[in-house]
Amino acid sequence: MASLSRFGAALRFIIVCALCGFASAAAAQNYPSHNIRIIVPFAAGGLNDTAARIIQPYLEKALKQSVVVENKPGASGILGATYTAKSPPDGYTLTMVASSHTVLPATTANLPYDAEKDFAPIILLGKNPLMFVVNANVPAKTIQEFVALAKSEPGKLNYATPGAATQTRLVAELWSLRAGIKMQHVPYTGGAPAILSVVAGQTQFTVLSPLVSGPQIAAGKVRALAVGSLTRDPQYPDVPTLAESGFPGFEAIQWVGLLAPAGTPKPIVDRINAEVNKALKDPAMIKQLAQQGMLPAGGTPESFRALIHTEVANWKEAAHAAGIKPE
């Protein structure tokens, strides 16, 4: 009798799973039947918000439904991300996150969600490669020459960042760890004062977006030693990548991408992924992203998941090395 009871329970479980699968398939087949929301976890005007509004008309045309961009700022993006993580996994609530999504697990204690497990990655929309720059008077023309200089004067060189627990701080710390050098960290209150400190020679080195460092590079006040993307930036074709400069596989980028709540049916994720990949080939889309300093990315949900997984691990390693404790 016990074995029959176990058989009955197993059979019921199989039936329930099958019914759930049919329901999920039916929902995906009818998707979308009403408007879709893209939650932006920051205030209007930022890169996440701009990216969401760039992709909005393309998704509306492709999916034949209204796509509403909704800003839910607060707590460095945590409030909006939490809202999405706890939303029904039906494809009607998405979120446009930035690379800070993978930084928060390393710098923030007691996150109300798991940055990996509670989300279904859809697509990496765009990348903004970070620039490794030095003051124009620093006697190093390449990243390897700068490493040699730092090793010859351990602890004497300073590097600027937009803040103590920012992604650029973690990038600089992780790269320093891999390069085997030690520099003194000088935090500022944003990217603009950080780059100006390098221009003035108060600090010698920084890692920042080309949107911030580009004008100073063009003016000859700082020198770009390397770019953090795996391929050269078309805007700076003469600047080698870190991979070319002796750090194979090291990627230092800011990015934006679409996530959905974990459990969102794969056919829905794949549908949105396919439509965004198509949009990213549109010259008008490429131009709009370029105006924000972004290169179109694209790819599969799996490749985006792999990027998130790698970065979460990397930033935790960098935070530990720098003595940054989650707060």
Side-chain angles (χ1 to χ4, degrees), residues 30-44:
N30 296 327
Y31 177 85
S33 60
H34 57 83
N35 66 291
I36 300 161
R37 292 186 301 164
I38 299 178
I39 304 300
V40 174
F42 295 93

Side-chain angles (χ1 to χ4, degrees), residues 32-101:
S33 60
H34 57 83
N35 66 291
I36 300 161
R37 292 186 301 164
I38 299 178
I39 304 300
V40 174
F42 295 93
L47 187 57
N48 302 61
D49 181 70
T50 303
R53 296 181 192 280
I54 287 174
I55 198 65
Q56 177 188 27
Y58 291 89
L59 284 178
E60 286 186 331
K61 183 178 179 180
L63 301 177
K64 297 179 173 59
Q65 285 291 345
S66 294
V67 176
V68 179
V69 177
E70 189 173 330
N71 298 88
K72 287 188 178 293
S76 301
I78 294 172
L79 293 183
T82 302
Y83 179 87
T84 303
K86 297 183 183 304
S87 294
D90 53 12
Y92 292 96
T93 303
L94 314 176
T95 186
M96 184 69 74
V97 298
S99 43
S100 57
H101 181 77

